[in-house]
Structure formats: C-alpha cells, structure tokens
Amino acid sequence: MRKMVPWLISILLAITLIAIVVIILLNTMFDDSSKEAKSSEPVKIEVLSADERVEVTSELKDIKRNLLDNDFIVVASFAFQLDSKKSKEAFEKVKDIQIRPIINRVLADMSVDQLNGSKGQDMLASKLLNLINQELPEDQKLVKVDITNFIMSQI
C-alpha cells in the first residue's frame, strides 16, 4: 500500500495540472474571439441613389497587363466607390500615379487560373480594395471596387 501512495499522488497531480491548462486555454480562446467581435463596428449598408453613387465613384479604364504566365493578357476597367465626394476628388488626382501601379502589380502576380470565373474576379476586387485602402490617407476610404470590363486573352 505504501508503494502505491506516491503513484496515486503523482496521477492526481498530473490530472489536476492538465485540467488547469485546459481551462486556461479555453478561457483565452473564447475571450479573444469575443473581444474581436465587440471591438469591430457593425457594418452599415447605405443604399445610394444613382446621382449619389456617381458623385462618389471614380473610373479607371483600359488597364492592359500581362499575367504571371506571359502568354496571357488582361484588359480591365474598374469603378471605385469612395466614402465621400471629397475623397473622390482626392482619389481622382492620384489614381493614375498611385492606383494604376497597384493594379498592375496585383495583375502581374496572378495566373489565369486565379482570375477565371466570378470567384477569381471577386478575389481580385477584394485584394485591390485592401491594398488601395492601405495607400489612402486616413480620412479617405475606398468602399467598393467593381470590375466594369474584363477581357483575358492568350497572346
């Protein structure tokens, strides 16, 4: 009996330590997800009239670029919806010198398979939205990127 007491104590101690670690891990995993959900602001969807949409939308037409596999070329046009008329005016000034190179870099890194179908075009639009928003000043925000013209052809 005396030989079993140290073993029993060791087993109980190991079970207690495992239970404490599991509780701590569960608490930290659930706390992080609830903090993220609380810290993010709810998305408000504003329905704009046609005139309001035209006032905050800028177009960039006919961007021609080879893809990652040099046998293919893309000709695309984009519509960028910004958060305000003031943002659009500032965006118009820099779209050829700051936005066009971003689009060229993104297209240069994409393959034909990545751009095929609506999923590929959605991925392109979301990638552009994220990269362009990083380049804009804090008081300006790009709300939406639409692909208005898209032709992909083999050379």
Side-chain angles (χ1 to χ4, degrees), residues 1-20:
M1 183 71 173
R2 286 186 183 252
K3 292 181 181 180
M4 287 180 42
V5 171
W7 282 102
L8 289 173
I9 292 173
S10 297
I11 291 173
L12 288 173
L13 185 60
I15 291 172
T16 305
L17 288 174
I18 291 171
I20 291 172

Side-chain angles (χ1 to χ4, degrees), residues 61-116:
K61 295 183 178 182
D62 295 330
I63 294 180
K64 297 174 183 99
R65 178 68 192 175
N66 285 8
L67 294 178
L68 187 61
D69 13 336
N70 286 324
D71 295 338
F72 287 87
I73 190 169
V74 168
V75 179
S77 297
F78 298 92
F80 302 97
Q81 183 179 343
L82 290 110
D83 61 343
S84 67
K85 191 173 180 180
K86 180 182 172 189
S87 296
K88 179 197 173 191
E89 291 169 359
F91 186 86
E92 287 286 336
K93 293 176 184 175
V94 297
K95 73 179 179 183
D96 283 326
I97 58 174
Q98 192 173 9
I99 306 307
R100 189 177 289 266
I102 293 172
I103 296 170
N104 278 327
R105 280 195 316 267
V106 170
L107 287 172
D109 290 336
M110 297 187 87
S111 67
V112 174
D113 294 334
Q114 291 174 318
L115 286 173
N116 274 337

